[in-house]
Amino acid sequence: MTHIVTEHPYFGAFVLFALTAIAFPATLVLQRFISRKLARLDTEKLKLAIYECGPEPNKQANSISVQFYLFALLFILFDVEIVFMFPWAIDFKPLGVFGFVEMILFIVLLAIGFIYAWVKGALEWHSIK
């Protein structure tokens, strides 16, 4: 009698998935247990001392505006969307009218997102005073 389950082409992948699903959480639990046993519980003043020379900082010297993060996020968003246009441009002829309409819809959605960000003021640079 042959075993149908073990002859399946994806049986090895399933076994690896099952082992990973067991081994990964077990490794995390083991690592946490070992690190708590090996960690020193007493803190030293030298370890907490400031390493740089000069006066002790009381607060952060400059505050970073959220505008930097919003601008970077919008750049990455639109940059990644533009990257999706390159495969379409290379395979333009075989896609035909359906591919053209699909890309026009994609560009319209991109434009809606850009206009929304513009109206909300995400592209305006506000200076901190």
Side-chain angles (χ1 to χ4, degrees):
M1 180 175 184
T2 61
H3 296 291
I4 303 292
V5 175
T6 58
E7 292 177 3
H8 194 276
Y10 291 114
F11 179 72
F14 173 73
V15 169
L16 287 176
F17 177 74
L19 288 175
T20 303
I22 294 168
F24 183 71
T27 304
L28 289 178
V29 169
L30 182 66
Q31 171 267 331
R32 188 170 185 168
F33 175 75
I34 291 173
S35 66
R36 288 189 178 198
K37 290 295 181 190
L38 295 178
R40 292 182 61 182
L41 298 178
D42 60 336
T43 57
E44 301 173 6
K45 285 192 174 192
L46 183 61
K47 187 164 88 174
L48 298 176
I50 298 172
Y51 181 71
E52 291 108 5
C53 61
E56 292 186 23
N58 295 334
K59 62 178 183 173
Q60 186 175 356
N62 56 354
S63 61
I64 299 172
S65 174
V66 176
Q67 198 72 21
F68 285 109
Y69 298 111
L70 187 59
F71 210 76
L73 185 67
L74 286 172
F75 172 76
I76 290 172
L77 176 72
F78 288 115
D79 193 42
V80 168
E81 288 177 348
I82 295 297
V83 166
F84 283 121
M85 290 184 184
F86 285 113
W88 171 80
I90 290 172
D91 242 6
F92 177 69
K93 284 188 180 181
L95 295 175
V97 175
F98 176 73
F100 181 72
V101 170
E102 190 173 330
M103 186 50 65
I104 293 298
L105 182 66
F106 180 73
I107 291 172
V108 165
L109 288 173
L110 245 169
I112 290 171
F114 180 72
I115 292 168
Y116 177 77
W118 193 352
V119 168
K120 288 293 184 178
L123 302 176
E124 295 176 11
W125 199 258
H126 304 287
S127 62
I128 300 173
K129 293 181 182 178

